[in-house]
Amino acid sequence: MTVPVLPSFWVVIPAAGVGSRMRADRPKQYLSLAGKTIIEHTLDCFLGHPGLLGLVVSLAVQDPYWPQLGCAADPRIQRADGGAERADSVLSGLRHASTLGARDDDWVLVHDAARPNLSRDDLDKLLVDLADDPVGGLLAVAAHDTLKRAGADGRVQETVDRSVIWQAFTPQMFRLGALRNALAGALGAGVAITDEASALEWAGHRPALVQGRADNLKVTRPEDLQWLEQRWRS
Ligand code: CTP
Ligand code: MG
């Protein structure tokens, strides 16, 4: 049996959000989950990987929480300044990776700080599936509930064909130069960009969807954190 060769990669972690939907006393990436902060769990999955070339976290300019974490002193982790929107934070992180020696044709994985339950199996699946892909792609989950399109009155307008609908997760894996140019171009054109794939789509590419685990969820609301806490306790 041949063992697949995993490509080496850089990681950019956007972590400059305020977590308004969590309604907590601090940005959600610094909330505690099973004895560590959420962002420390998120980083662990990458720091333990032999293919890691370097990691950039994009942080709010005046972030009082990061310097208190042990990982702030880890030489493999560098910080960049976050921006007003997630896409600005990602672009800043990509540019910083270039100053650290990342090349335009290197793979870069962008992963939300608030997504602490990424499994090593999913990470390796993404790397293996996309290793030879000309564009790159993302972990995603095929929609499994029946989907409705709502009207302005809050009532169902129609049932949508769910077989072609996927939820976009992270990590999203692209070539650094292509992603930076797509993000810069889309932001410059005033296009709303909510993930890296949408920037590549704007640039005319068709990122690959790699089926991932549904429990790689982004902590968004208080119940997401409660769910992860219960799961990790059992
Ligand atoms: N993020 C970022 N820079 C921003 C906004 C968001 O780096 N200007 C990061 C967040 O820290 C998070 C990820 O992008 O890790 C996903 O964003 P989201 O879940 O929307 O986080 P927040 O913006 O912090 O939350 P909310 O939208 O509820 O305020
Ligand atoms: Mg947000």
Side-chain angles (χ1 to χ4, degrees):
M1 204 180 84
T2 50
V3 181
V5 180
L6 298 178
S8 299
F9 58 91
W10 291 81
V11 173
V12 169
I13 305 278
V18 295
S20 55
R21 286 168 289 182
M22 277 303 283
R23 303 186 307 274
D25 66 347
R26 65 193 64 198
K28 60 191 176 183
Q29 56 273 25
Y30 297 115
L31 293 175
S32 176
L33 169 65
K36 287 192 215 181
T37 58
I38 286 178
I39 193 169
E40 287 174 289
H41 288 290
T42 303
L43 292 167
D44 277 351
C45 191
F46 297 103
L47 292 173
H49 200 287
L52 181 70
L53 293 168
L55 194 153
V56 177
V57 281
S58 298
L59 301 170
V61 175
Q62 287 184 333
D63 177 334
Y65 304 101
W66 174 259
Q68 297 173 25
L69 303 182
C71 56
D74 189 318
R76 295 167 297 176
I77 306 177
Q78 301 295 321
R79 61 180 290 179
D81 287 343
E85 302 291 337
R86 181 184 177 284
D88 302 306
S89 299
V90 172
L91 186 54
S92 166
L94 295 173
R95 287 181 169 145
H96 194 65
S98 297
T99 70
L100 299 173
R103 296 188 318 238
D104 275 6
D105 61 351
D106 282 345
W107 285 116
V108 60
L109 272 59
V110 179
H111 185 62
D112 295 318
R115 216 178 271 276
N117 201 33
L118 171 66
S119 72
R120 176 62 183 268
D121 282 355
D122 259 14
L123 174 54
D124 285 350
K125 184 177 186 211
L126 185 74
L127 290 165
V128 169
D129 281 16
L130 300 181
D132 299 319
D133 196 278
V135 179
L138 61 148
L139 283 179
V141 174
H144 50 240
D145 291 315
T146 299
L147 298 172
K148 308 291 186 189
R149 189 185 310 280
D153 59 356
R155 301 184 75 88
V156 174
Q157 211 166 43
E158 62 170 340
T159 299
V160 178
D161 175 12
R162 73 162 183 231
S163 69
V164 295
I165 304 289
W166 291 64
Q167 286 178 274
F169 280 22
T170 70
Q172 304 206 356
M173 170 170 162
F174 296 102
R175 301 282 181 188
L176 188 146
L179 177 56
R180 186 194 56 232
N181 293 341
L183 272 174
L187 290 174
V191 178
I193 293 294
T194 53
D195 71 347
E196 292 59 59
S198 46
L200 270 289
E201 294 156 42
W202 174 84
H205 301 289
R206 299 191 57 213
L209 293 160
V210 177
Q211 172 79 51
R213 292 176 58 107
D215 60 4
N216 174 22
L217 83 167
K218 180 162 68 72
V219 175
T220 302
R221 297 189 180 80
E223 60 265 34
D224 300 324
L225 190 53
Q226 285 160 12
W227 187 87
L228 280 176
E229 263 164 3
Q230 268 166 17
R231 192 184 159 103
W232 286 16
R233 205 179 296 141
S234 55

